[in-house]
Amino acid sequence: MLTTVVARANSNVALAKYWGKRDEQLNLPHTGSLSVAMAGLTTTAAVSLCRGSESDRIIMNGAPASAREGGRISAFLDLVRERAGRRDRVEVDVRTNFPVAAGIASSASTFAALALAAAALLGLVLSEAELSALARRGSGSAARSVVGGYVEWLRGYARDGSDSIAVQVAPASYWPLGIVVAVTDEGPKRVGSREGMARTVRESPFFASWLATHDTDLATIRRGVLARDIAAVGGAAEHNCLKMHAVAMAGPEGLIYWNPATVAVIDRVRGLRAEGLPAYFTIDAGPQVKVICPRPERDAVAGALEQVPGVRRVLLSEPGSGAAVVERA
Ligand code: DP6
């Protein structure tokens, strides 16, 4: 019998965003979304049987998880246990090699790695689609981190969420983009995506417009990926990102995820384009800016963004793989 399984998953960056749930319990989105896995921005989750223990033991980046984080992970493990018909308590050791909870989708890589490791440990044999639906229950964007390369998370229509899964649009090798993350703040964000999108759905007067125009962006980005057309993908991704932030800002609480350096990076990316460098930005629920460009231009883009006042460091990435088991014992 297995006693430990270790799995690894990359984070992902959404080019067409997920922002709004139609079912908060099942984590079902109002729209589809499309992302690319980010190689090297990785979470490793080790899950081990914890015999005789009454509760799960959860370590995150070397320290016991807070009650909030630990509760969310234990609730997710309950779903896996229920499905496997097992009651085992487990020890979970999660390590993420990039700033957590700061808008680089650490919940995506965490729940994708955790879903795979916990399911394997508890004897569940799942297809990629089933694993994606399971990871989605932990965090919506985790549904996409199960799959490698360019990935679309289908909105789905089934009430139980079984068709709200991620599928590969193209493997990583199909289009070797360069990805640069400009980190402008290493600290955790104040309003997480979960709460931010819930407020947006409830309160933003622009939410209906976001929904009405999202599918066009998604289709443009899907087609652009298949045609390896950086201008089409980048243009639509920027527009989709700005709409997501606009709809969040338009609620009564005016959610602003950016800081001055975020805006300075946007400006610099536009400047690079004016100089002939095809770089395009996108921003998730935090102040970091993710920039896509042709792979040979990545160093030039990174060098330029490093010089922007307020940028603390840049992370280099490229399209990566899906979740994988790295050790069984
Ligand atoms: C802005 O997947 O973190 O990064 O499902 O509540 O866990 P939950 O939210 P989460 O939201 C990600 C939002 C986003 C856009 C995206 O990744 O598509």
Side-chain angles (χ1 to χ4, degrees), residues 3 61 63 79 118 133 149 197 204 217 226 273 309:
T3 54
N61 295 309
L79 294 172
M197 69 176 85
S204 177
D217 297 345
L226 291 172
R273 276 215 301 281

Side-chain angles (χ1 to χ4, degrees), residues 12 14 16-19 21 27 33 72 107 138-141 144 193-194 197 244 284-285:
N12 68 75
K17 308 289 186 198
Y18 148 54
W19 196 251
K21 302 178 205 239
N27 262 351
S33 55
R72 185 167 165 192
S107 67
S139 179
S141 52
R144 298 187 310 240
S193 347
R194 182 153 297 188
M197 69 176 85
M244 180 204 117
D284 290 312

Side-chain angles (χ1 to χ4, degrees), residues 12-21 24 27-28 32-35 72 103-108 111 135-144 153 189 192-195 197-198 214 240 244-245 257 283-286 290:
N12 68 75
V13 53
L15 302 170
K17 308 289 186 198
Y18 148 54
W19 196 251
K21 302 178 205 239
E24 295 193 355
N27 262 351
L28 298 178
S33 55
L34 197 151
S35 62
R72 185 167 165 192
I104 317 185
S106 61
S107 67
F111 281 99
R136 189 199 74 229
R137 298 290 303 273
S139 179
S141 52
R144 298 187 310 240
W153 172 17
K189 57 197 172 199
S193 347
R194 182 153 297 188
E195 194 187 333
M197 69 176 85
H214 185 81
N240 189 262
M244 180 204 117
H245 286 272
Y257 284 108
I283 305 155
D284 290 312
K290 293 130 190 178

